[in-house]
Amino acid sequence: MALAAQQRILILSGDIHRNALDAFTNGPDRFPLHEATSSGAALKDAVVAGAVCQNFGIVDVGPQQVDISLFKRNRLQLSRTIFRQPWLP
């Protein structure tokens, strides 16, 4: 969090068996820490049992913004645009 307060950081992870977008605040006048989670290896919402997930994510990094799209079963489930200058959605 200390490093994220000084720099623009987006964590790409797949540590859960669902899609999620999070932002963690570091207080006033600090950059938030953003996290996009989509476990492409998770075919089900539990390791071997549960509903079929088929999750994947796409991150498009442009000069002005970062666009995040998270899909479940080939349908857009979550999206967020982070504007690069203020590093806010």
Side-chain angles (χ1 to χ4, degrees):
M1 290 298 283
L3 183 61
Q6 302 167 18
Q7 300 179 33
R8 294 164 181 86
I9 294 180
L10 167 62
I11 296 173
L12 304 175
S13 67
D15 60 345
I16 57 176
H17 293 265
R18 60 182 171 82
N19 291 328
L21 292 170
D22 293 305
F24 304 94
T25 62
N26 275 319
D29 302 323
R30 305 252 176 152
F31 293 118
L33 172 65
H34 292 279
E35 181 178 13
T37 304
S38 184
S39 182
L43 299 178
K44 297 190 175 191
D45 62 9
V47 177
V48 294
V52 174
C53 292
Q54 298 174 332
N55 294 333
F56 67 94
I58 297 173
V59 177
D60 184 14
V61 180
Q64 303 299 320
Q65 64 195 46
V66 176
D67 294 305
I68 304 165
S69 302
L70 303 180
F71 295 83
K72 181 175 184 173
R73 299 180 118 184
N74 291 324
R75 293 191 177 174
L76 182 64
Q77 184 181 31
L78 298 169
S79 65
R80 177 174 294 162
T81 296
I82 303 169
F83 296 96
R84 293 184 71 171
Q85 184 59 35
W87 203 238
L88 296 170

